Amino acid sequence: MSENHGEIYEMRAIAPEALKLLRTTDDAGHPPRLVVDDEEGGSPLRCCLGRSRPYETIALVSYAPLRRWARETGAGPGPYDEVGPVFIHPEECDGWTGPGIAEGIRGRRRVLRAYSAEGNILGGRLLDDGGPTIEEGLAEWYADARVAAVHVRAVEFGCFLAETRRV
């Protein structure tokens, strides 16, 4: 967990129960696509919030973060429900153990997308060179009492990287 300006949130990887299902059939109804990362590695893994190693076999799956959050919390994301590609380990891994911000989700350009407890999007915040850090951006969002969850996403591909939730 991280504490920022009196507000508390926690960073979350994809839950182990969801990962078990995704390793068989993803949220678009397809089996995982196994890929071998290139010689540089570094693909962001949503199961442990780490990065892949060079030539590591990883699974590319479709994931619906808001849909799963809604099932758990009773939120209704409606039109904001989306399915997108994420990388995970094809077998069970150690997962994310926290605390703080996972180094594996850091990058030059990120977007923080905030949601209310009802599942409505409240807005987004671009993080890039010279701008706020992830910690500063999250502190800004969680200063707003309406914010229940904030997703960290990559700018270039729009991919979901991690979820934070108010605790």
Side-chain angles (χ1 to χ4, degrees), residues 34-144:
L34 296 180
V35 296
V36 176
D37 210 340
D38 65 23
E39 62 190 47
E40 293 179 23
S43 294
L45 298 163
R46 281 41 162 240
C47 48
C48 58
L49 302 183
R51 297 279 180 157
S52 63
R53 296 182 315 274
Y55 303 110
E56 180 177 13
T57 299
I58 54 180
L60 181 60
V61 298
S62 291
Y63 178 61
L66 285 177
R67 184 179 311 161
R68 289 182 178 275
W69 175 63
R71 284 184 200 144
E72 185 179 328
T73 65
Y80 301 111
D81 185 23
E82 59 186 326
V83 179
V86 297
F87 290 113
I88 61 174
H89 281 117
E91 290 90 27
E92 190 175 329
C93 67
D94 292 336
W96 164 246
T97 56
I101 303 298
E103 291 304 313
I105 68 158
R106 294 190 186 277
R108 287 190 49 240
R109 295 168 39 90
R110 298 291 182 248
V111 169
L112 300 180
R113 195 181 297 168
Y115 298 90
S116 70
E118 296 77 31
N120 297 321
I121 193 167
L122 297 172
R125 177 79 155 102
L126 175 64
L127 309 175
D128 59 8
D129 294 336
T133 65
I134 290 175
E135 291 87 348
E136 292 166 342
L138 288 170
E140 289 174 16
W141 275 121
Y142 283 106
D144 183 338

Side-chain angles (χ1 to χ4, degrees), residues 11 105 110-112 134 150-154 159-162 164:
M11 176 154 282
I105 68 158
R110 298 291 182 248
V111 169
L112 300 180
I134 290 175
V150 179
H151 289 179
V152 181
R153 293 178 172 266
C159 297
F160 169 85
L161 294 174
T164 65

